[in-house]
């Protein structure tokens, strides 16, 4: 059974930091690329970080230099360190494989973790 459990979100002030975690099960973790996405109310889900099986990372310009994705294959966990947070980073954050995992033909998503940045 596939399960991705995101945690670590919360309320933080402008310029603050948070570290998100995603514990994965039901997939062969080490053989997958992993990504973090975020979705703000009324907006489409946005890719914010990817880490490949070989530990290569990539980020969109909006978070590059502020966010760092990492993975621990021994613990089946992927992390997102977020520094210099801005109000526009406010969203629900999700992890997933990349390409995204499907169960019964539909994309699987965990419950996400809410990040709120106050100005």
């Amino acid at each position: 059974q596939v399960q991705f459990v995101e945690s670590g979100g919360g309320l933080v002030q402008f310029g603050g930091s948070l570290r998100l975690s995603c514990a994965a099960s039901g997939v062969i973790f080490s053989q997958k690329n992993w990504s973090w996405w975020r979705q703000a109310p009324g907006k489409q889900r946005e890719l914010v970080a990817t880490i490949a099986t070989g530990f290569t990372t990539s980020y969109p310009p909006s978070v590059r230099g502020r966010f760092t994705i990492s993975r621990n294959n021994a613990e089946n966990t992927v992390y997102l360190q977020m520094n210099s947070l801005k109000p526009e980073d406010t969203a629900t954050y999700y992890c997933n494989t990349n390409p995204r995992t499907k169960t019964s033909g539909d994309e699987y998503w965990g419950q996400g973790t809410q990040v709120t940045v106050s100005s």
Side-chain angles (χ1 to χ4, degrees), residues 73-112:
N73 288 345
E75 296 184 354
N76 290 355
T77 303
V78 59
Y79 302 96
L80 185 68
Q81 177 68 42
M82 305 187 297
N83 299 328
S84 303
L85 283 163
K86 306 175 182 180
E88 52 262 45
D89 296 318
T90 295
T92 301
Y93 284 71
Y94 304 86
C95 67
N96 209 324
T97 58
N98 195 339
R100 290 174 282 203
T101 292
K102 290 187 176 182
T103 58
S104 302
D106 296 322
E107 287 187 352
Y108 170 86
W109 292 96
Q111 85 287 351

